[in-house]
Amino acid sequence: MSETDGRTVLAAEALGKGYPLPSGWLQVLENLSLRIGAGEAVSIRGESGSGKSTLLHLLAGLEEPDRGEVLWEGEAIGRWSAARRARERGRRVGMVFQAPHLLPELTAWENVLLAARIAGRADRSARDRAAELLERVGLGDRGRQRPAQMSGGERQRVAVARALLNRPALLFADEPTGNLDESTADAVFALLRQLVLEEGAALVLVTHSERFAGRCDRSCHLERGLLAGGNGVE
Amino acid sequence: MKWYFYWALRQLFPAGRPFSFFALVSILGVALGVMVLLIVQSVMNGFVHDIRDSLARTNGDVRVFSSALLDDWREVAADLREREEVEAVTPFAQGIVMVQEGPRPLFPQVWGMDPATGPEVLPVDSFLVAGTLGDLDDRSVFVSTGVANRLGVGLGSDLDVYTPLMLERMKEEEVLLPLNLRVAGIFETGWNEVDRNTILVTLRTMQELYGLGDRVHGLTLRLADPGAAPAVARTLDAELPEPLFARSWMDLNEDFLFVLRLEKAVLFFIMIFIILVASFSIAISLMTTVVRKTREIGLLGAMGGSRFGVGACFCLQGLLIGAVGTVLGVAGALGALHFRNEILRAFASFTGRGDALVEAYGFAYLPVHYIPLDFVLVAGFSLLVSTLAGLLPAWRAARLQPAEALRSE
Ligand SMILES: Nc1ncnc2c1ncn2[C@@H]1O[C@H](COP(=O)(O)OP(=O)(O)OP(=O)(O)O)[C@@H](O)[C@H]1O
Ligand SMILES: [Mg+2]
């Protein structure tokens, strides 16, 4: 396995998260801990509703945990202001979701470059890198097309390129192939896996597919608010 | 370029299309509002300008009155002429007489004008529609178009002029015969009140009619700078000795000018609602965008976009729509005003009632007067309101939690 140089890029310590329900309280995550090394690929599986997306949102700083801490490269993100968290997320973290969520009024290339614009560094090299990433996801000649003119698989590949533009140390993917048919899903996953390897980014992949989970360095299972199996808890 | 400015621009001018339909409708709304408001204001200003113009022309810039009759008016006039802000001075006397031609009597205003200095102060020559200025002598009279029409007189007709002096004399058992004057000219000033019911005679005739001797009622002044009339009137009023006082044409018509200003303000207030309505359409279209793009907005948050940036993007769209709409509206208004007479003529020939228009309103063309401040006010208001219209959608967008936005279906 190609992973860890020993450095921890992402750590979660004793996370707890719940939501109020009309009839009480839903505890989604309970005392959950996790540690991911640089360049490591970890898959998370679990029943629908087990809290996989919630966990990903906490790890990405999109939601705040009720208890516990999330650390990016050793820094506790909960101590940052919301604005700082957003800024750091834009630079250090890439995200891919089930739907590509491309902006319809931008071309594919502009959508990829948007990541650099938000991070405030849409310079020459970012433009070149956007074109290069489109090339690497196999859409080198489609940069001028609008999302509406692309297939679902192609759009998801643009989303992958966008997530990697700022050379994040961490990539979160929430069922990135969930909307695609089997062969397209295979292709997109293979691409994602390969790019993450090449870029040296750590990958946290939420998936229902055993096959994809098997191709990660580590595989965990989320059940009753806790990560289990595949040496998920350290 | 900040990413939110970029996204705001791209939403208005998306890839692959020249513009967004939503934006186009909003822009047209603003442009129409601005255009209609400016056209109405400018034409209104044109009428007001014409009215003020003819008011100033028929009144003279400043008038000096005396509470008694003026007998040393020659000295006063000479002193006034010395001032550098005064270009010309002429004496005047005015009153009411009765004129009769056949069985119809009329009670017009009568103006006595010094034929030598009068035309230097008032553009009498340009008022004349028949006859020439030189024809006015002590046995002739100029009548306004209104008087000519109502009496049915023309050039060369004879008028009998009766004065209040006759009644005075009658008490002393003296009989004064009416003055027989020949119509030597017909004039029209453009100022309706004057044109309806005024006759003009020489100062000497007027003095004879009113038994003034050599005295006059006051002096009319033409200034080097007509715009300075109120200020000059104030200075003169303070500096002239007792029975004399000075009033500008604006002071003399204060009430009427106030009504004109009020009319304009009310019109502005009513028309401004067009722009307000347009701003509602901006707010609604942006609000729709926020709802439609909830997940994209969540994604921008996940990509590190700040709440401020997300909000700013929608506010900026309001501002941009307002700016483009305002520019188009101003351009449209200037274009329509420039071709207003062509448009009016086309409209008249289309309806086949061009003559009716002229008859009903007494004009064959539309006056227009551009006041830069009006343009600045309208443009500023439209920009402000469009930006405010973006605030509500902006606030909603900024309030979206990225995690919830991404979950929304
Ligand atoms: N804002 C919220 N308010 C209340 N309950 C919530 C909220 N967000 C998530 N939940 C609940 O938390 C639980 C976990 O949701 P989550 O989306 O993390 O599940 P998941 O494992 O990603 O499921 P799936 O595989 O279907 O995507 C669900 O039962 C969901 O109803
Ligand atoms: Mg989920």
Side-chain angles (χ1 to χ4, degrees):
Chain A
M1 288 198 194
S2 62
E3 94 260 1
T4 85
D5 51 7
R7 215 158 50 82
T8 305
V9 285
L10 173 71
E13 272 157 25
L15 286 184
K17 179 74 180 175
Y19 296 106
L21 288 183
S23 56
W25 185 263
L26 176 71
Q27 192 65 33
V28 181
L29 301 175
E30 184 93 67
N31 203 20
L32 182 148
S33 295
L34 171 78
R35 203 167 284 272
I36 291 175
E40 196 181 9
V42 178
S43 76
I44 296 174
R45 284 189 296 153
E47 305 258 300
S48 178
S50 57
K52 305 182 295 295
S53 297
T54 304
L55 174 59
L56 225 55
H57 287 166
L58 291 180
L59 294 178
L62 288 173
E63 277 181 272
E64 293 191 33
D66 300 335
R67 276 180 304 282
E69 259 189 338
V70 173
L71 301 106
W72 292 348
E73 296 168 289
E75 293 174 87
I77 67 170
R79 302 213 184 107
W80 295 339
S81 69
R84 164 124 197 246
R85 202 150 55 225
R87 199 164 57 238
E88 298 286 345
R89 181 167 56 243
R91 295 182 178 173
R92 302 197 200 183
V93 175
M95 299 192 81
V96 182
F97 298 93
Q98 188 163 348
H101 296 319
L102 301 179
L103 300 184
E105 52 276 323
L106 305 187
T107 65
W109 177 75
E110 288 168 341
N111 263 294
V112 176
L113 190 61
L114 190 65
R117 284 190 190 278
I118 293 177
R121 42 182 156 185
D123 51 12
R124 180 85 239 162
S125 71
R127 286 155 193 273
D128 292 345
R129 181 163 160 82
E132 178 214 308
L133 275 169
L134 274 179
E135 192 82 48
R136 279 161 69 189
V137 299
L139 297 171
D141 51 347
R142 313 289 292 276
R144 285 162 175 282
Q145 275 184 326
R146 280 176 288 131
Q149 300 165 317
M150 307 181 113
S151 73
E154 288 164 348
R155 270 183 253 173
Q156 195 61 319
R157 282 190 273 164
V158 174
V160 169
R162 178 178 63 187
L164 288 170
L165 184 74
N166 290 332
R167 302 182 197 277
L170 261 169
L171 187 74
F172 294 108
D174 192 350
E175 298 184 50
T177 57
N179 278 357
L180 306 173
D181 66 68
E182 205 173 323
S183 65
T184 316
D186 277 348
V188 169
F189 174 75
L191 195 70
L192 180 67
R193 186 77 189 87
Q194 186 199 340
L195 280 174
V196 164
L197 267 180
E198 287 170 9
E199 297 281 324
L203 170 69
V204 181
L205 172 76
V206 169
T207 182
H208 284 296
S209 155
E210 244 170 274
R211 278 187 304 124
F212 297 160
R215 284 156 70 184
C216 291
D217 302 326
R218 207 139 56 86
S219 191
C220 329
H221 204 82
L222 191 58
E223 224 179 317
R224 269 174 267 116
L226 282 167
L227 279 177
N231 57 1
V233 188
E234 299 199 1
Chain B
M1 195 192 319
K2 286 285 183 192
W3 68 269
Y4 40 84
F5 192 69
Y6 170 80
W7 193 39
L9 268 178
R10 293 314 297 269
Q11 287 196 63
L12 299 181
F13 306 102
R17 280 180 298 162
F19 41 72
S20 105
F21 183 71
F22 273 100
L24 186 73
V25 172
S26 304
I27 285 173
L28 279 183
V30 174
L32 275 177
V34 168
M35 186 170 120
V36 170
L37 187 53
L38 285 177
I39 289 176
V40 169
Q41 287 280 299
S42 297
V43 171
M44 176 83 181
N45 289 337
F47 280 121
V48 169
H49 193 72
D50 278 9
I51 290 171
R52 288 173 66 108
D53 215 46
S54 49
L55 253 182
R57 273 152 40 105
T58 42
N59 277 284
D61 295 332
V62 173
R63 285 195 167 194
V64 172
F65 301 88
S66 169
S67 27
L69 289 172
L70 254 183
D71 39 25
D72 58 344
W73 59 269
R74 277 175 237 274
E75 290 89 274
V76 179
D79 283 351
L80 288 172
R81 235 175 249 124
E82 292 292 291
R83 295 174 166 266
E84 62 179 315
E85 63 265 37
V86 178
E87 288 274 288
V89 182
T90 187
F92 73 85
Q94 52 189 200
I96 290 173
V97 290
M98 184 178 96
V99 293
Q100 203 158 12
E101 211 281 334
R104 281 158 296 184
L106 214 60
F107 299 88
Q109 287 270 339
V110 56
W111 291 359
M113 180 192 77
D114 176 16
T117 55
E120 289 173 19
V121 175
L122 300 172
V124 187
D125 209 12
S126 71
F127 296 159
L128 282 179
V129 292
T132 56
L133 196 55
D135 295 344
L136 187 68
D137 58 29
D138 295 345
R139 287 292 155 254
S140 60
V141 60
F142 286 177
V143 299
S144 65
T145 44
V147 172
N149 286 339
R150 283 191 289 167
L151 287 179
V153 297
L155 285 186
S157 306
D158 277 330
L159 283 186
D160 282 336
V161 181
Y162 301 79
T163 90
L165 194 61
M166 295 171 162
L167 303 174
E168 298 273 307
R169 293 292 155 86
M170 232 187 285
K171 288 183 207 153
E172 295 154 26
E173 313 222 329
E174 235 178 282
V175 175
L176 206 63
L177 289 178
L179 214 52
N180 188 262
L181 299 176
R182 187 178 41 81
V183 175
I186 298 173
F187 66 89
E188 184 168 88
T189 61
W191 178 228
N192 197 33
E193 219 173 280
V194 169
D195 292 341
R196 211 183 59 237
N197 206 24
T198 308
I199 66 174
L200 186 87
V201 296
T202 62
L203 184 64
R204 246 195 318 267
T205 310
M206 181 61 199
Q207 285 167 334
E208 191 187 331
L209 281 170
Y210 263 62
L212 296 174
D214 185 41
R215 293 167 300 177
V216 301
H217 287 138
L219 298 164
T220 309
L221 279 56
R222 183 163 64 82
L223 303 181
D225 173 16
V232 172
R234 260 194 307 279
T235 340
L236 286 180
D237 201 41
E239 289 176 11
L240 286 171
E242 235 324 292
L244 298 178
F245 56 98
R247 296 286 180 267
S248 73
W249 66 271
M250 292 185 216
D251 303 327
L252 295 172
N253 297 282
E254 204 175 347
D255 293 349
F256 183 72
L257 291 174
F258 171 74
V259 170
L260 284 185
R261 274 201 303 278
L262 189 71
E263 250 173 31
K264 185 180 162 184
V266 168
L267 204 64
F268 190 85
F269 181 73
I270 293 172
M271 302 293 276
I272 212 113
F273 278 90
I274 304 180
I275 296 182
L276 276 181
V277 170
S279 80
F280 275 87
S281 88
I282 297 181
I284 287 169
S285 97
L286 287 180
M287 199 63 113
T288 318
T289 314
V290 172
V291 173
R292 209 159 32 99
K293 293 197 174 148
T294 298
R295 267 150 303 166
E296 280 82 357
I297 291 170
L299 179 102
L300 287 168
M303 283 167 74
S306 62
R307 278 152 179 269
F308 170 81
V310 169
C313 170
F314 288 91
C315 234
L316 280 169
Q317 280 189 68
L319 176 67
L320 284 169
I321 289 172
V324 177
T326 303
V327 168
L328 285 181
V330 169
L334 289 176
L337 287 170
H338 186 259
F339 293 108
R340 65 191 182 280
N341 292 322
E342 284 80 353
I343 294 172
L344 203 65
R345 223 172 295 137
F347 183 72
S349 72
F350 176 68
T351 55
R353 303 296 300 274
D355 299 340
L357 205 64
V358 176
E359 254 165 52
Y361 294 100
F363 60 84
Y365 71 97
L366 274 182
V368 66
H369 180 63
Y370 301 101
I371 297 182
L373 184 65
D374 280 359
F375 281 68
V376 171
L377 276 181
V378 170
F381 181 79
S382 132
L383 281 181
L384 178 74
V385 165
S386 314
T387 313
L388 288 182
L391 270 186
L392 189 65
W395 178 72
R396 277 212 47 172
R399 221 178 37 141
L400 281 176
Q401 299 280 353
E404 279 174 35
L406 285 164
R407 278 184 202 276
S408 77
E409 283 301 320

